[in-house]
Amino acid sequence: MSSLSAGPLLGLPLPDIWFAAVFLVLGTFLLLDGFDFGVGVLFALADDHDREQYLSAIGPFWDGNEVWLVVFGGLLFAVFPEVYAALFSRYYLLMFAILAGLGLRGLAPELYEQREDDQWRRFWSASFVVGSTVTPFLLGVFVVNWLVGAPAIVTLPGVVGGLAVLALCVVDAVAFLGLKLPADTDDATRYGPPALAAYLALAVALVAAMYVTEPGLRTALTSLPVLGLLALSVVLGAAYVVSIRRETYLAAFAAVAGLVFGLVALVAVVMYPVIDRASGLTVSETVVSTLPLNLVTLMMAVFLPLVLGYFVVLYNTFSGPIEAGETY
């Protein structure tokens, strides 16, 4: 045990590695649960037949996808507890609103299927749409507020960031539905290009809003990595549109993955080395001491492959389009 407190494992820069790992997990959650949220948004535009298909498409996955949000919160608590405490106390009401949205999103499809009554189904259908729309929007607000260190919940960059995340979830869902729906199902993919255009416009607007309202971030926002990530997003967006039109949905989903991790990387690049802009504390100042940091690293080296293995089995088991007539 004494050797674990003598210094970082293998001399690795663990605080920086864990900072990157926290955002990698956040990106994984946004990619995987993002298509669940987006499907919920598209639920509002579908008829009853297509709604059944949508629920069948996400049914095997959405419970598991939420695990990545728990992992994100758990890692933040385990490695950067001071940041965890500051964020969850500063945005207390926002956190509860996000949890309420997640709860509504999770409850609605379960109850939607319980009765054939039209009024019942309309109510829970609307609830599913509301929960799937509000939750990613508020998550975007939370992350951007964290990035700029906003003391208030409602900020201009936060609102723009929330809308950008919401649009990105629809882009994600269109690619996913292209992979999962039978060929004769409603063409949900027509919503992809306009949602992508909205996302790219909002991403640029987000950077512009932060440039105007946050003078302290101007150098980071005009840095080469940030400009490169924005340019990469345009390239990936073009690849997405081409893939959707050619109906090569796996390529479209890969482009979405690039967009998601590009957005999260942009947040991390602008934020680093400060991890809580409200207090000015840096990554190295808020990370736990050497012994618990090494123990967390060893634990994750054991458990993370198990979690990844579970997802490999899950997605392999339910790969391919859903069968005609398959229900949630």
Side-chain angles (χ1 to χ4, degrees):
M1 187 67 73
S2 59
S3 61
L4 289 176
S5 59
L9 284 173
L10 305 174
L12 295 170
L14 290 182
D16 293 337
I17 290 175
W18 277 110
F19 176 78
V22 165
F23 281 94
L24 185 62
V25 169
L26 180 62
T28 304
F29 166 73
L30 181 57
L31 174 64
L32 297 183
D33 220 21
F35 65 68
D36 298 327
F37 291 132
V39 166
V41 175
L42 294 174
F43 210 70
L45 306 172
D47 59 26
D48 289 343
H49 171 72
D50 291 328
R51 285 175 177 174
E52 294 287 351
Q53 299 286 307
Y54 290 3
L55 292 177
S56 298
I58 65 171
F61 307 110
W62 69 271
D63 264 342
N65 292 339
E66 285 188 350
V67 167
W68 291 102
L69 184 61
V70 178
V71 175
F72 166 73
L75 289 182
L76 201 60
F77 173 75
V79 182
F80 303 106
E82 194 172 345
V83 178
Y84 177 92
L87 291 177
F88 282 74
S89 59
R90 189 183 309 141
Y91 306 125
Y92 183 79
L93 293 178
L94 186 55
M95 291 296 104
F96 264 90
I98 291 171
L99 290 176
L102 283 170
L104 187 62
R105 193 283 300 262
L107 186 65
E110 300 288 349
L111 293 175
Y112 175 87
E113 294 287 346
Q114 296 304 312
R115 291 170 55 178
E116 296 291 340
D117 179 80
D118 287 343
Q119 187 174 359
W120 173 273
R121 288 204 160 197
R122 280 197 299 272
F123 176 79
W124 287 112
S125 174
S127 299
F128 185 46
V129 173
V130 170
S132 300
T133 302
V134 168
T135 306
F137 170 74
L138 294 179
L139 284 167
V141 171
F142 165 72
V143 171
V144 174
N145 282 349
W146 174 19
L147 170 62
V148 302
I153 292 176
V154 180
T155 63
L156 176 60
V159 171
V160 177
L163 292 173
V165 170
L166 180 59
L168 186 56
C169 288
V170 176
V171 175
D172 193 358
V174 166
F176 178 77
L177 289 176
L179 287 169
K180 298 299 295 181
L181 294 186
D184 60 348
T185 306
D186 174 55
D187 183 18
T189 57
R190 66 181 181 274
Y191 301 115
L196 173 70
Y199 166 69
L200 291 176
L202 287 164
V204 173
L206 171 61
V207 173
M210 288 192 293
Y211 187 87
V212 172
T213 61
E214 304 296 330
L217 292 177
R218 287 176 181 171
T219 301
L221 290 170
T222 54
S223 65
L224 192 58
V226 170
L227 296 177
L229 287 169
L230 288 174
L232 179 62
S233 295
V234 175
V235 173
L236 290 170
Y240 173 85
V241 172
V242 171
S243 301
I244 290 291
R245 289 180 176 168
R246 292 180 177 176
E247 300 183 358
T248 51
Y249 298 115
L250 188 58
F253 194 74
V256 173
L259 289 169
V260 168
F261 285 104
L263 177 64
V264 174
L266 188 149
V267 172
V269 166
V270 173
M271 182 182 292
Y272 185 84
V274 175
I275 192 172
D276 183 18
R277 186 170 165 76
S279 63
L281 292 173
T282 64
V283 171
S284 59
E285 291 170 336
T286 55
V287 74
V288 292
S289 58
T290 302
L291 177 59
L293 185 62
N294 286 339
L295 289 174
V296 169
T297 304
L298 289 173
M299 288 174 60
M300 288 306 295
V302 173
F303 287 108
L304 188 58
L306 297 177
V307 174
L308 292 175
Y310 164 77
F311 275 86
V312 170
V313 171
L314 175 68
Y315 278 83
N316 278 337
T317 302
F318 295 99
S319 63
I322 59 175
E323 300 291 334
E326 187 176 339
T327 61
Y328 178 64

